[in-house]
Amino acid sequence: MENGVDRESGSMIFSEDELREVSGLKKGGDFIEVTCGCTSHRYGDAVGKLRVFSNGDLEITCECTPGCNEDKLTPAAFEKHSGRETARKWKNNVWVMVNGEKVSLSKTALLKYYNQASKNANGTHRSHNGRVCHRDEFVCCSSCNKERRFRLRTKEECRIHHDALADVNWKCSDLPYDRITCDDDEERASRRVYRGCTRSPTCKGCTSCVCFGCEICRFSDCSCQTCIDFTRNAKA
């Protein structure tokens, strides 16, 4: 067990052959984690930990330096953070180690759920590459006045944000998936600009990442009929 998750259950996501000789492999309930990196001709290799989720989400925790605190980066954001000169080609530029060699993500099986999510996005809000996309949003704590990040990748996450936004008394301690209190620091401004847009890592809001209502973020039991008041959050 690791963090309350059965390490072996992650084996259901990929076959043994698909993960053979992949470095840094760890298995969680609905994800696997592997060592990844991106190479800049100027700065060298930036390494990190890539989590691949069964719903198609990809998250990278950067370990480029001992003091780097960048986590939950999209591959595109990690590519830019690494200083890669030819950015916006993260499928080719972000690599994993297979049998001691750097192999582009595009040449592995690790993108199969990401690609499947893109194909299954019919009828929902989609980015320019067809993948369901809702950018991260922030809600302000009524107690400490600090803004906290909400990921909106699934219907459940959209509902959590929807309810928090509607609650004028929402507090940091109400976050169900992160143990955050009012004593914890607010996200640094340099981190806040990364909102999960697939078009541009530091996008301030575009048709690729801002949704005004789809089957993932609309709820029939709510009179507002949309889970996100983006006009309220546009200033974030």
Side-chain angles (χ1 to χ4, degrees), residues 165-220:
L165 196 62
D167 183 1
V168 296
N169 296 314
W170 184 86
K171 302 182 296 297
C172 296
S173 57
D174 294 332
L175 267 177
Y177 46 79
D178 284 328
R179 293 181 179 178
I180 292 179
T181 69
C182 292
D183 294 329
D184 292 314
D185 292 336
E186 192 174 36
E187 262 190 40
R188 293 178 292 115
S190 60
R191 175 71 182 92
R192 282 171 54 86
V193 298
Y194 295 105
R195 303 280 287 271
C197 178
T198 56
R199 184 188 63 84
S200 173
T202 56
C203 175
K204 295 181 179 179
C206 69
T207 55
S208 292
C209 64
V210 176
C211 178
F212 291 93
C214 70
E215 64 182 22
I216 292 179
C217 67
R218 292 172 71 94
F219 304 99
S220 59

Side-chain angles (χ1 to χ4, degrees), residues 50-200:
L50 167 66
R51 283 195 174 186
V52 181
F53 293 85
S54 58
N55 66 357
D57 281 352
L58 304 171
E59 283 184 359
I60 296 178
T61 298
C62 186
E63 299 178 346
C64 61
T65 62
C68 183
N69 295 317
E70 301 292 350
D71 63 353
K72 295 185 179 180
L73 296 174
T74 65
F78 176 68
E79 177 190 47
K80 184 172 183 178
H81 176 69
S82 72
R84 175 75 188 193
E85 292 80 6
T86 55
R88 299 188 68 178
K89 295 182 179 179
W90 62 265
K91 291 184 181 181
N92 294 324
N93 292 336
V94 177
W95 44 261
V96 295
M97 297 297 295
V98 180
N99 198 25
E101 300 289 336
K102 296 175 183 177
V103 179
S104 299
L105 283 178
S106 61
K107 296 181 180 179
T108 71
L110 298 176
L111 294 183
K112 71 176 183 179
Y113 292 103
Y114 176 91
N115 294 332
Q116 182 176 326
S118 299
K119 294 178 181 178
N120 293 341
N122 294 332
T124 64
H125 175 65
R126 290 175 290 176
S127 65
H128 70 285
N129 63 4
R131 190 181 182 215
V132 178
C133 181
H134 295 82
R135 68 175 184 168
D136 296 349
E137 295 294 338
F138 292 84
V139 174
C140 186
C141 174
S142 62
S143 179
C144 67
N145 208 37
K146 295 175 182 176
E147 292 194 322
R148 302 304 187 186
R149 181 183 294 267
F150 283 73
R151 296 176 69 256
L152 307 178
R153 305 299 188 270
T154 67
K155 195 172 185 69
E156 180 183 5
E157 289 174 340
C158 283
R159 184 69 201 219
I160 291 171
H161 175 254
H162 168 280
D163 293 345
L165 196 62
D167 183 1
V168 296
N169 296 314
W170 184 86
K171 302 182 296 297
C172 296
S173 57
D174 294 332
L175 267 177
Y177 46 79
D178 284 328
R179 293 181 179 178
I180 292 179
T181 69
C182 292
D183 294 329
D184 292 314
D185 292 336
E186 192 174 36
E187 262 190 40
R188 293 178 292 115
S190 60
R191 175 71 182 92
R192 282 171 54 86
V193 298
Y194 295 105
R195 303 280 287 271
C197 178
T198 56
R199 184 188 63 84
S200 173

